[in-house]
Amino acid sequence: MEKFIEKWKKGPKPVEEKSANKGNVNIEDRGKKPRVEFSDFEIIGDPGLRKPIDSYPYEVRDELRRLYVAKGPTQPCDHKFPQTDSGEIRRSFQKQWFKDFTWLEYNVHKDAAFCFCCYLFGKGQNHKHGDDIFTEVGFKNWKRAKEKFRNHEGAPNSPHSGAVIQLLGFKNQRQNVEYVLSKQSSQTEIEYRARLTAVVKVIRFLLSQGLAFRVNDESINSIRRGNFLELTKWYCEESEEVNKVMNLNAPGNNQLTPPKIQKEIVNACAKEVRQAIVNEIGDKFFSLLVDEARDSSVKEQLSIVLRFVNDNGEVVERFLGVVHVSETSARTLKNSIDDFFAINGLSISQLRGQGYDGASNMRGELNGLKQKILDENKYAYYIHCFAHQLQLVLVATSKKNAHVCSFFQYLAKIVNTVGASCKRKDALLQKQYNDLVKSLESGETATGKGKNQETSLARPGDTRWGSHFKTITRILHMWDAVTHVLETIYEDADEVNSRGIARGLIDKMWQFEFVFIAQLMVNVLAKTNTLSMCLQQRTQNIVTAIRMIKTVKEDLKKYRNDDDYWEELLGVVTAFCVKHDIFVPNMQDPLPSRARLYRSVDGQPKTYYHFFRRDIFFEVLDFIVKEMDDRFTESTSELLICILCLDPRDSFLLRLSEFYPDDFSISDKFELKAQLDTYISYMRSSDGAAFSGLTDIGDLAKKMVETNIHQFFTLVYRLIELALVLPVASATVERSFSAMRTIKNDLRNRMGDEFLNDSLVCYVEQEIFKSIENEDILQRFQNMQTRRIKLPS
């Protein structure tokens, strides 16, 4: 934060407009001095850290004022205002004052009040003694504060009243001098609105599809002038009305097609989406999910997602944007999040949970981001991403068992060897097709819609163990085709090395051990893959997640100890080996004496039964269960034990309220006990029959809102809401990185950070973006700076 402030004090540097669109330069920009551009991150929401407006050059003051007016005064209504000693009475700032005095601003760090109007249009540094209390120093005396606020407003000719009048005139662009000097006819304004609306529609389409706007050559003689200009041209050809306002009557200095205008409209769209999300959150609790990744230009981007319960009782996760960070230290990440919250009007005091992927710089107990947030808000409980923990369980299992580790190494080699060239892939598909035709002719395989589709080997990924499940199942399904390609490589390859690799892989696949581990891992990964998919759902809640993990662990223990499952697995492996002419050993025979690695500790030879059941079957399942117990430590914490007991018949609900003392006062705790008794009686009565079929607390919250009883049992609903906002997985954050690779790819790697952020918000949150009216975007764009032509009222 200190570096950010120092950089801000130096002031912005003039940036000369450069455009690759040489054939479409805005005429009104010619002959002017280089403009000074400001981004949202340079507009400080904290009134205690701003530089006075009069300290900036005169030509940029209106630009700054316009950005601050668009942002509005800083009024953290949801903040827990601290109490200070004022004689014998402890007093604090009251959020009701924001409604009584709309010009009022509040600084969280200084616990001080400021005046928004006087900051923008006050006398600045030429003030008398004491006049800077509401602009620079900050007002902190809460005794008879309302009276002092009225004294600050003063008479109609007071400095504050003058600042208010200037602000109202500044907001009304029709009183602007530039507008008066260049006053246009009403018909011109109507055509301007139609032209701007057409451009907004084109941009909205490109944003929703994640398409590029521009190309290198956008001159008039170019055949391909980029998606934006080409789509605008097509729109004009399809609509005579649009063509009339765009091409025939559009003034040369107001075409609304230059890159600068495009970026401003995109920024207006993104701001409307973010504002809709912030309004949806309101004063509710929320959790923070963040992760970082590199974009195509090798820049570290921090993705920010908020999880909360909406007005319908539904759990939603909203993507707010990405922030470029120069380094991934915990301090830098924390400062970036603070700046982002300040810009979007969010308060860390609303935070009730945080979830990351578990990297050391994010989760460290002392210096990590987790601890830095906990130091500021001790109720922002940390939950390690459950999906990531499950992945670590499987990774650890593959490394601890030597036989499984060897299996996955050979698995990767098989996929890489068979898919190393187009010729080998074609041979694989052709063999699969020939086998399928024979199978259909003999009646072994049935036909039907969606069946017998062409497939290929899936390459396993190190970070997504669900891909290993797909890889193993496809190899087992395409066994004959895979071995046929390997045999072809062994027979026809020119290089001895390739022939040797193919021979080694064939020998490995023809072993009973390889097939046994493949079938075992298919059964195990099928259970964990289903769990992983469920954990990554956006609406998943912590209670259901913990119960599902517990269920999977119990299934794995049952799978290990039940002899019927062992016999079933052995039968499947044996049948597969018989079908493909693979040698099946007698389970009671001893292992070959030359196999020293397979001997027991006392030197006695093992039987095949002991080797496959004890050394592989038992050991793999024991490792997985133990790793799940060690990794999912959150499920044993007292907080989540209380959350698991959200059954209203359990007294743990009262204990759960003690984890959030700021959200439940002493009187609330007494009232909560009474509400619980009434709630239990209601649920047991005939009126509560509608709640009998609910499966988890997510359904309970939605049903309470649907039946409107959440307004009667407010404290019980608050507990449920606190449980639902706790994060389960960071899948939504990772999905935003997938979208980032679509928006900023190798061909668009010069995209600026602000344009990337705005485009991503509109692309990821399309549901909200589509609900934004064009009129809101038009007004936001119009108010971003003084326009030569105004929108007709």
Side-chain angles (χ1 to χ4, degrees):
M1 190 67 178
E2 290 80 0
K3 292 182 179 179
F4 175 76
I5 296 173
E6 290 298 327
K7 180 180 178 181
W8 172 254
K9 288 182 178 179
K10 294 179 181 179
K13 296 180 180 180
V15 179
E16 189 169 351
E17 293 288 338
K18 294 182 179 181
S19 173
N21 186 7
K22 297 180 180 180
N24 197 16
V25 178
N26 198 334
I27 297 177
E28 66 180 26
D29 288 337
R30 294 178 178 174
K32 290 188 176 182
K33 296 181 180 180
R35 296 184 68 256
V36 177
E37 292 187 347
F38 300 92
S39 68
D40 289 347
F41 286 90
E42 293 170 330
I43 304 302
I44 300 180
D46 193 334
L49 299 178
R50 301 170 182 159
K51 286 178 58 179
I53 289 289
D54 291 346
S55 65
Y56 291 94
Y58 179 80
E59 59 271 13
V60 303
R61 294 177 188 174
D62 280 351
E63 184 73 15
L64 276 170
R65 290 188 178 107
R66 188 168 292 106
L67 292 174
Y68 274 117
V69 168
K71 185 180 182 305
T74 302
Q75 298 180 343
C77 298
D78 56 301
H79 179 65
K80 188 73 175 182
F81 299 104
Q83 293 184 343
T84 56
D85 293 330
S86 179
E88 298 179 355
I89 302 176
R90 295 179 61 82
R91 305 177 189 275
S92 66
F93 185 93
Q94 303 297 316
K95 64 180 181 181
Q96 179 63 33
W97 295 340
F98 288 136
K99 297 181 180 180
D100 298 335
F101 307 95
T102 56
W103 49 266
L104 198 60
E105 289 191 293
Y106 179 80
N107 176 269
V108 174
H109 298 289
K110 291 185 177 181
D111 185 28
F114 293 82
C115 178
F116 186 62
C117 301
C118 291
Y119 169 74
L120 294 178
F121 294 98
K123 295 183 178 180
Q125 299 176 348
N126 298 323
H127 52 66
K128 299 179 181 179
H129 178 70
D131 290 349
D132 60 344
I133 292 295
F134 284 90
T135 56
E136 297 179 25
V137 179
F139 177 84
K140 300 182 180 181
N141 187 2
W142 310 129
K143 185 177 181 180
R144 293 196 296 271
K146 293 184 68 173
E147 179 182 341
K148 295 174 182 177
F149 291 157
R150 293 191 182 93
N151 292 337
H152 171 72
E153 290 179 337
N157 60 349
S158 67
H160 173 84
S161 298
V164 172
I165 294 174
Q166 291 185 64
L167 177 59
L168 294 176
F170 186 77
K171 288 182 177 180
N172 186 0
Q173 292 192 12
R174 292 182 178 276
Q175 295 180 3
N176 188 281
V177 176
E178 286 189 29
Y179 174 74
V180 174
L181 294 177
S182 59
K183 189 172 182 181
Q184 306 292 325
S185 65
S186 59
Q187 181 61 30
T188 302
E189 293 180 347
I190 293 174
E191 292 176 352
Y192 171 71
R193 170 182 281 276
R195 185 162 57 253
L196 182 58
T197 302
V199 172
V200 167
K201 289 182 179 179
V202 171
I203 289 178
R204 292 190 67 159
F205 175 81
L206 295 176
L207 286 175
S208 62
Q209 300 301 316
L211 299 175
F213 279 57
R214 304 170 57 198
V215 293
N216 292 332
D217 185 8
E218 293 185 345
S219 61
I220 298 178
N221 298 326
S222 176
I223 299 177
R224 299 180 181 88
R225 303 179 63 195
N227 290 329
F228 174 76
L229 293 179
E230 292 292 344
L231 188 58
T232 303
K233 178 182 177 182
W234 174 86
Y235 195 11
C236 292
E237 292 174 351
E238 293 296 318
S239 173
E240 183 65 29
E241 181 180 353
V242 174
N243 183 55
K244 182 178 180 180
V245 298
M246 289 293 295
N247 294 331
L248 302 180
N249 297 331
N253 62 351
N254 213 289
Q255 295 281 339
L256 298 178
T257 56
K260 175 177 175 292
I261 299 296
Q262 298 175 30
K263 291 181 179 180
E264 288 182 355
I265 295 177
V266 171
N267 183 248
C269 294
K271 285 183 176 179
E272 286 296 323
V273 173
R274 289 195 196 95
Q275 189 61 49
I277 295 175
V278 172
N279 293 341
E280 187 180 15
I281 296 174
D283 58 353
K284 303 181 184 68
F285 305 123
F286 61 84
S287 289
L288 172 69
L289 296 95
V290 299
D291 199 358
E292 54 84 22
R294 293 183 180 181
D295 60 22
S296 60
S297 60
V298 199
K299 286 184 177 181
E300 293 286 351
Q301 302 288 352
L302 183 71
S303 178
I304 299 177
V305 173
L306 300 183
R307 175 187 175 96
F308 59 96
V309 180
N310 64 12
D311 294 334
N312 298 323
E314 301 171 339
V315 178
V316 293
E317 293 180 354
R318 297 297 188 195
F319 171 74
L320 275 185
V322 293
V323 180
H324 171 53
V325 290
S326 57
E327 57 179 353
T328 57
S329 65
R331 180 180 179 182
T332 302
L333 297 175
K334 177 61 167 59
N335 291 340
S336 300
I337 291 173
D338 287 342
D339 296 340
F340 193 89
F341 273 28
I343 291 169
N344 292 280
L346 298 168
S347 173
I348 202 169
S349 62
Q350 293 174 265
L351 206 58
R352 290 298 178 270
Q354 45 179 328
Y356 317 122
D357 66 351
S360 59
N361 62 321
M362 307 285 274
R363 192 184 181 226
E365 293 290 333
L366 298 178
N367 299 319
L369 176 60
K370 164 195 171 181
Q371 192 60 41
K372 287 186 176 295
I373 291 180
L374 284 174
D375 290 341
E376 190 170 345
N377 182 356
K378 61 182 178 180
Y379 308 117
Y381 295 106
Y382 170 78
I383 303 295
H384 188 180
C385 172
F386 278 27
H388 186 255
Q389 291 185 81
L390 181 62
Q391 173 187 324
L392 295 177
V393 168
L394 300 174
V395 171
T397 303
S398 68
K399 292 180 179 179
K400 286 186 176 181
N401 186 281
H403 309 291
V404 175
C405 181
S406 174
F407 168 80
F408 280 114
Q409 290 176 355
Y410 275 100
L411 189 71
K413 291 180 181 179
I414 292 171
V415 176
N416 293 335
T417 302
V418 174
S421 66
C422 298
K423 180 180 178 181
R424 296 177 185 178
K425 289 184 178 180
D426 291 340
L428 179 71
L429 296 177
Q430 185 62 42
K431 175 62 177 175
Q432 181 190 6
Y433 174 77
N434 295 336
D435 293 343
L436 178 60
V437 171
K438 293 180 180 179
S439 179
L440 291 173
E441 291 176 351
S442 63
E444 295 180 7
T445 303
T447 60
K449 185 177 181 180
K451 293 183 177 181
N452 310 318
Q453 296 184 6
E454 184 181 277
T455 58
S456 60
L457 294 183
R459 191 177 300 274
D462 293 334
T463 58
R464 288 291 173 269
W465 272 72
S467 63
H468 288 76
F469 173 70
K470 185 184 297 184
T471 302
I472 299 174
T473 53
R474 290 192 178 180
I475 282 185
L476 293 175
H477 176 68
M478 305 169 62
W479 187 272
D480 290 337
V482 172
T483 54
H484 172 76
V485 173
L486 291 176
E487 290 172 353
T488 304
I489 296 173
Y490 173 71
E491 295 173 356
D492 300 340
D494 296 331
E495 298 181 1
V496 178
N497 185 40
S498 298
R499 297 182 61 190
I501 292 175
R503 174 60 185 272
L505 296 178
I506 294 173
D507 291 343
K508 188 67 178 178
M509 291 182 67
W510 279 349
Q511 293 180 11
F512 183 86
E513 177 185 338
F514 186 88
V515 179
F516 179 85
I517 297 177
Q519 294 288 359
L520 172 62
M521 295 309 299
V522 163
N523 292 340
V524 172
L525 291 176
K527 298 177 183 296
T528 56
N529 188 57
T530 302
L531 174 61
S532 178
M533 297 298 293
C534 293
L535 291 177
Q536 296 181 54
Q537 294 178 1
R538 292 191 179 189
T539 58
Q540 190 59 265
N541 60 75
I542 199 77
V543 177
T544 305
I546 295 176
R547 287 176 177 167
M548 291 176 62
I549 292 169
K550 184 179 179 181
T551 301
V552 170
K553 286 195 294 185
E554 291 175 351
D555 286 347
L556 291 174
K557 290 178 181 178
K558 184 178 180 182
Y559 185 67
R560 177 201 185 279
N561 299 323
D562 196 329
D563 291 339
D564 292 339
Y565 288 116
W566 161 256
E567 294 296 337
E568 181 182 350
L569 172 63
L570 201 59
V572 172
V573 175
T574 302
F576 184 91
C577 291
V578 170
K579 178 180 179 181
H580 297 283
D581 296 329
I582 299 174
F583 172 74
V584 180
N586 186 347
M587 290 293 108
Q588 303 304 322
D589 290 344
L591 291 168
S593 58
R594 65 178 181 276
R596 298 180 58 190
L597 295 176
Y598 300 153
R599 293 177 184 174
S600 59
V601 178
D602 57 2
Q604 297 298 321
K606 298 178 182 177
T607 63
Y608 284 101
Y609 177 83
H610 288 127
F611 170 67
F612 285 111
R613 187 163 192 186
R614 188 181 68 179
D615 293 355
I616 298 180
F617 185 75
F618 282 168
E619 190 170 314
V620 167
L621 293 175
D622 288 343
F623 275 144
I624 292 178
V625 173
K626 185 178 182 303
E627 283 293 327
M628 291 183 74
D629 288 335
D630 294 340
R631 295 284 180 181
F632 293 101
T633 55
E634 285 87 350
S635 60
T636 60
S637 67
E638 187 179 4
L639 170 63
L640 296 190
I641 288 175
C642 294
I643 290 177
L644 282 173
C645 300
L646 274 172
D647 187 334
R649 295 169 295 182
D650 204 309
S651 61
F652 274 103
L653 273 173
L654 297 176
R655 173 61 182 148
L656 178 59
S657 64
E658 297 179 6
F659 283 91
Y660 303 96
D662 286 356
D663 301 324
F664 295 91
S665 63
I666 296 177
S667 59
D668 286 341
K669 292 179 181 179
F670 284 106
E671 185 180 352
L672 176 60
K673 190 176 187 315
Q675 273 196 22
L676 282 173
D677 295 336
T678 308
Y679 178 66
I680 294 172
S681 301
Y682 178 84
M683 290 299 176
R684 291 175 176 175
S685 66
S686 58
D687 294 333
F691 294 81
S692 59
L694 303 180
T695 57
D696 58 24
I697 61 171
D699 295 334
L700 174 61
K702 289 187 286 187
K703 197 67 176 180
M704 289 181 70
V705 174
E706 181 182 334
T707 56
N708 210 33
I709 69 169
H710 71 295
Q711 295 184 355
F712 183 72
F713 302 110
T714 55
L715 298 179
V716 176
Y717 184 77
R718 189 183 306 171
L719 281 175
I720 296 174
E721 186 179 11
L722 288 169
L724 289 175
V725 298
L726 287 177
V728 176
S730 57
T732 303
V733 184
E734 295 173 359
R735 292 187 187 104
S736 68
F737 292 140
S738 299
M740 183 172 67
R741 287 190 287 272
T742 300
I743 299 297
K744 188 174 182 178
N745 51 38
D746 292 338
L747 296 178
R748 305 172 69 186
N749 60 5
R750 296 181 63 185
M751 180 184 296
D753 294 333
E754 186 175 5
F755 188 63
L756 168 64
N757 184 25
D758 295 338
S759 301
L760 261 179
V761 169
C762 298
Y763 181 74
V764 174
E765 294 295 341
Q766 289 198 40
E767 180 183 358
I768 295 181
F769 185 38
K770 290 180 179 179
S771 66
I772 303 295
E773 298 292 338
N774 285 336
E775 182 64 25
D776 297 331
I777 299 175
L778 297 181
Q779 295 297 334
R780 169 85 64 172
F781 167 78
Q782 192 69 17
N783 295 328
M784 290 174 69
Q785 69 177 49
T786 303
R787 309 291 178 185
R788 182 163 296 182
I789 304 179
K790 310 306 170 187
L791 289 174
S793 55

